[in-house]
Structure formats: structure tokens, C-alpha cells
Amino acid sequence: MREPDEVDRTALQEARERLRSADRAVALTGAGVSAASGVPTFRGEEGLWRDYRPEELATPDAFTEDPVTVWQWYGWRRRTVADRDPNEGHGALARWTLRRPGGRLVTQNVDDLHQRALRAAAGADPIPDHARAVELHGSLFRTLCTGCGRRRESRERIDVSGDDDLPLCGECGELLRPDVVWFGESLPGDALDAAMEAARRAEVCLVAGTSAAVQPAASVASVAADAGAVLIEVNPEPTPLTGRADGVFRSGAETILPALLDDDPPPDGPRVPGS
Ligand code: OAD
């Protein structure tokens, strides 16, 4: 039986070639890309928090009924992510995106690990506009005022133990919420437009670490494939997109993405048969 990190050398070479030669490319990522950094995925067992499933807490109704519990969950997620670092998968995606002005990195993740990897890869240089990750589902590290609608970067610790310490807007005094997309809400129009435009133009679409269970995010990949892009999937498990994929790698993103994307892949990359 094949070990999980053992990949087909020919398939890897073919996919590498596609990904390296494409000027117009789109990458769609999900929680699996951050799994090796220690950030729990949504649909894995560790996605549970105090017996709640994300679907129970990530809704406008849950926030209206019980903002304390919802903020406790987001406070825990913000602390979890703040204590973690980008992994090799984020790093390889960042370097690949920076090298590719016609490329777009589109993520469903609300952690800031792509952005941190991009800043690290760009070094002292500013991150060019094309390389900024398109955040389809918002960010854990921004707040949105339920009163005046002001959005603000927010990195401080938020520990909520009751109604009295819910975070309030510094401008209008109303309740703040996390600036993330909840079930039943629309995606930010500018982010979705940028993602779909990149998908329609792409010669190649790389999908990594997503169950492709949530729309319209998952349709970024099917729009790209419909428009003729080569579809490459990186995921230890099958997904609804697998049947459409031209190349499938059943490995962790942290292992396979450097091998697929880096000009000089690490010598201790994924094992290939015969090596
Ligand atoms: P999921 O938790 O649904 O899926 C994570 C995927 O990552 C699964 O398909 C795993 O097999 C895969 N995976 C696990 N470890 C991996 C690794 N090391 N490398 C690569 N893949 C790995 O997360 P998403 O698909 O991101 O939305 O979920 C999509 C959306 O559903 C989220 O953005 C969130 C959630 O509800 C909102 O909150 C609006």
C-alpha cells in the first residue's frame, strides 16, 4: 500500500511544469493548508469547540441570540492563530504568487497565515497588489461595527466573559462583530469578483486543503475548469472537485506544495516511488 506522502514522480513533474509555466493562475485554499500550523480545520473532529459545531456559531442568528458565546469562540480562534506560524505550504504559495503577476491567491481561510507568509517572502519589499491574498470569507483580525459599519484591523486579545466586556465600537459605541462571512451571508463582492475574474482567465487552477463543500467559494475552481484551466488538487481526502481534476495529490499541503511550486524544491520533499 502507498504511504500518504508517496507521490507519482511523473504526475508531480507534469503538474510542476503546468504550475511553473502558467502566467495566469489561480490558487484556491482552505483550512487544510493551515492544518500543519496547528489551526483546526472546520469539518475535522478537532473543529469542535465546547461541543459546538461551526455551523451553530457562525451565523447572524447565533450572534444576535448569544454574542458572548460567539465572541468567546472567535477570541479562542484569534488566540490559537496568533500563536501559530505559517508552514511550508503557505511559504511555497507565497513565493509562487509573488513570482506570478498574472496569478491570484484566493482563500477561504480567515486566519492571516497567507498574509504573514507573503510578508516574509516579500522581505523588505512591499507586497505587490496582485499578490495580496483574496479573502473570500473575511478575516479573524478585523472587526465590523454592527452600528456604523466601520471596519478596523484588530490584533488585541479579546477575552469575553460576559455582556459587560463585549467589544464595542470606539466611534459609535455599538457592538462589534468579527469581520467574517457567516452562514447565510453574502461574500464580499469585491473579493468574489476578483476571484471569479482570475478563475475565468486562469490557465491553471490549484486547489489545496479545502473540502469544496461551501459555495460559492468552491465554484472558483469549477469556473476555472469550465473556462479550460488545468485543475490540480492537493488534499489527503477526495472532494467533490476530485472528479474534475487533471492532477490529484493525496498529501499534506505542507509537503506537496513546496515540491509543486518552488523553483528549487526541498531535497527532503515528498517521497516518490523508487526514491
Ligand atoms: P474544511 O474543514 O471543510 O476542509 C478541510 C479540508 O482540508 C479537508 O478536505 C481535509 O481533507 C483537508 N486537509 C486536512 N489536512 C490537510 C493538509 N495537511 N493538507 C491539505 N489538506 C488537508 O475546510 P474548508 O474547505 O476551508 O466558511 O471549509 C470551507 C468553509 O467552511 C470555511 O471557510 C468556513 C467553513 O464553514 C465560513 O466560515 C463561511
Side-chain angles (χ1 to χ4, degrees):
M1 201 173 88
R2 276 190 174 190
E3 299 196 26
D5 278 347
E6 197 176 89
V7 296
D8 184 295
R9 188 191 296 270
T10 309
L12 183 71
Q13 265 316 114
E14 274 176 18
R16 248 178 86 73
E17 212 29 66
R18 294 282 193 185
L19 288 158
R20 284 158 52 90
S21 61
D23 290 328
R24 297 186 312 280
V26 64
L28 173 68
T29 68
V33 170
S34 299
S37 295
V39 181
T41 61
F42 288 91
R43 292 174 180 79
E45 271 311 303
E46 72 285 17
L48 276 178
W49 175 78
R50 293 192 192 168
D51 292 335
Y52 293 100
R53 291 230 145 254
E55 293 82 354
E56 294 173 68
L57 295 177
T59 72
D61 285 351
F63 189 66
T64 305
E65 277 163 31
D66 188 358
V68 170
T69 301
V70 173
W71 259 120
Q72 285 174 336
W73 182 49
Y74 280 97
W76 169 76
R77 291 177 61 194
R78 284 161 61 106
R79 288 192 298 279
T80 303
V81 171
D83 287 347
R84 305 292 191 259
D85 293 314
N87 63 56
E88 281 305 313
H90 296 107
L93 275 166
R95 292 184 288 275
W96 182 69
T97 309
L98 284 167
R99 285 197 301 271
R100 196 154 272 88
R104 274 310 217 173
L105 171 55
V106 177
T107 189
Q108 299 163 86
N109 296 348
V110 294
D111 63 43
D112 61 348
L113 297 180
H114 282 309
Q115 283 80 345
R116 279 158 56 187
L118 280 160
R119 278 198 295 275
D125 300 329
I127 299 173
D129 280 347
H130 83 265
R132 289 179 193 285
V134 176
E135 295 175 326
L136 289 179
H137 290 167
S139 168
L140 282 180
F141 297 101
R142 273 196 315 266
T143 54
L144 169 64
C145 176
T146 59
C148 65
R150 185 165 172 259
R151 289 190 157 82
R152 192 175 73 79
E153 289 291 317
S154 150
R155 303 238 143 228
E156 69 280 8
R157 228 180 128 99
I158 297 184
D159 292 316
V160 172
S161 52
D163 288 336
D164 290 345
D165 47 22
L166 281 166
L168 302 178
C169 178
E171 299 290 311
C172 73
E174 290 296 322
L175 182 60
L176 295 176
R177 56 166 278 181
D179 188 17
V180 297
V181 176
W182 282 331
F183 289 100
E185 294 184 324
S186 302
L187 273 58
D190 50 351
L192 189 58
D193 289 350
M196 289 304 179
E197 193 197 321
R200 281 190 289 269
R201 288 163 32 88
E203 299 158 62
V204 60
C205 175
L206 172 65
V207 187
T210 177
S211 59
V214 172
Q215 296 291 356
S219 64
V220 170
S222 36
V223 165
D226 288 346
V230 170
L231 191 64
I232 295 168
E233 182 176 68
V234 172
N235 196 315
E237 303 290 335
T239 77
L241 291 171
T242 302
R244 301 204 64 184
D246 302 284
V248 176
F249 296 92
R250 294 259 167 267
S251 299
E254 64 284 1
T255 319
I256 199 78
L257 290 179
L260 280 172
L261 301 178
D262 274 337
D263 281 340
D264 299 309
D268 57 350
R271 276 171 293 155
V272 294
S275 68

